[in-house]
Amino acid sequence: NKKIVGDTREIITIIGDSHADNFALLFQTNPDLFPNFKFVPVNINKFNDIMNSTNNNTELALLIKKSNIIIFSFNYTEDELTEVSSTIKSTLEKTNKKIILTSNNPVFNLYGSRYTDIDFFLLFNKKKPNKEELIDLEKKYFSFLKKNNTFIQINNKLQKLSKTYNLKLLNKSLYQC
């Protein structure tokens, strides 16, 4: 086990875009649930940064060497899926690290630039939804999610990719409220 000097926790590096930062917050805001792990988000612009980092002494390369687990968490697009595959292949060839993929974040129907169905409910009713109202809101959410073909297609491709390389895929829909 490789650890940060003076820190006995195992390092889990979460590499990605702003979605990596968001995903890391799930763990960082609940440190009592994960006392043996340190979650370190790393925001990158290009997938090549990951592949190049395993060949030199960049900060990312050193972090990858110290990490026990590497999690890829991006807002994946269709174009990036090929890059994800080659990055995983290259990383597995160059390191013996455990790699985990995450699905894309759950998508919410937005009104304007930032209001979801639950936001509207809370703003206009000025109360939490009761059980029946919550069921209606959940139905709206799942109905919207089922109609979002891009979200479904990308997550299906990530599922296939995880099977190809025998990786765990964390479905963010199960972990985020």
Side-chain angles (χ1 to χ4, degrees):
N1 286 339
K2 295 175 181 156
K3 308 189 189 304
I4 294 176
V5 175
D7 192 336
T8 59
R9 298 176 292 169
E10 292 184 25
I11 298 172
I12 298 179
T13 302
I14 304 174
I15 299 174
D17 51 20
S18 62
H19 291 238
D21 296 332
N22 249 357
F23 193 61
L25 280 175
L26 291 170
F27 303 106
Q28 291 169 343
T29 56
N30 295 290
D32 294 344
L33 297 176
F34 309 99
N36 299 323
F37 300 97
K38 178 176 182 159
F39 297 89
V40 181
V42 176
N43 203 308
I44 65 164
N45 295 323
K46 298 178 292 230
F47 288 97
N48 285 343
D49 292 347
I50 301 168
M51 289 189 285
N52 292 338
S53 74
T54 57
N55 293 327
N56 56 42
N57 275 338
T58 65
E59 192 174 326
L60 179 56
L62 295 173
L63 182 60
I64 287 174
K65 286 177 187 172
K66 292 178 182 177
S67 297
N68 300 87
I69 298 172
I70 300 168
I71 299 175
F72 290 135
S73 182
F74 289 87
N75 180 25
Y76 303 99
T77 64
E78 288 283 343
D79 294 339
E80 290 174 330
L81 290 175
T82 302
E83 290 182 71
V84 171
S85 180
S86 61
T87 300
I88 290 169
K89 182 178 179 188
S90 174
T91 304
L92 288 171
E93 288 170 354
K94 295 175 184 176
T95 72
N96 61 350
K97 305 299 178 181
K98 181 175 183 178
I99 296 175
I100 298 173
L101 289 175
T102 64
S103 68
N104 268 0
N105 284 347
V107 180
F108 299 92
N109 193 12
L110 292 178
Y111 303 95
S113 64
R114 61 177 173 208
Y115 296 110
T116 64
D117 289 314
I118 190 76
D119 294 324
F120 268 116
F121 183 91
L122 295 170
L123 286 170
F124 292 111
N125 294 298
K126 300 195 185 329
K127 69 174 184 101
K128 291 181 183 178
N130 63 33
K131 197 171 193 174
E132 292 80 26
E133 292 164 333
L134 186 58
I135 290 170
D136 287 341
L137 288 167
E138 288 173 349
K139 284 180 184 177
K140 283 183 182 180
Y141 165 72
F142 286 110
S143 175
F144 177 76
L145 193 60
K146 283 182 78 174
K147 292 176 188 172
N148 190 326
N149 287 334
T150 303
F151 174 77
I152 293 168
Q153 288 171 356
I154 288 175
N155 283 341
N156 285 343
K157 288 179 180 180
L158 286 165
Q159 181 72 40
K160 289 177 187 172
L161 188 61
S162 70
K163 287 181 181 176
T164 299
Y165 293 105
N166 197 26
L167 306 175
K168 178 141 180 96
L169 175 68
L170 296 177
N171 182 347
K172 289 182 182 178
S173 296
L174 302 175
Y175 302 101
Q176 294 176 319
C177 60

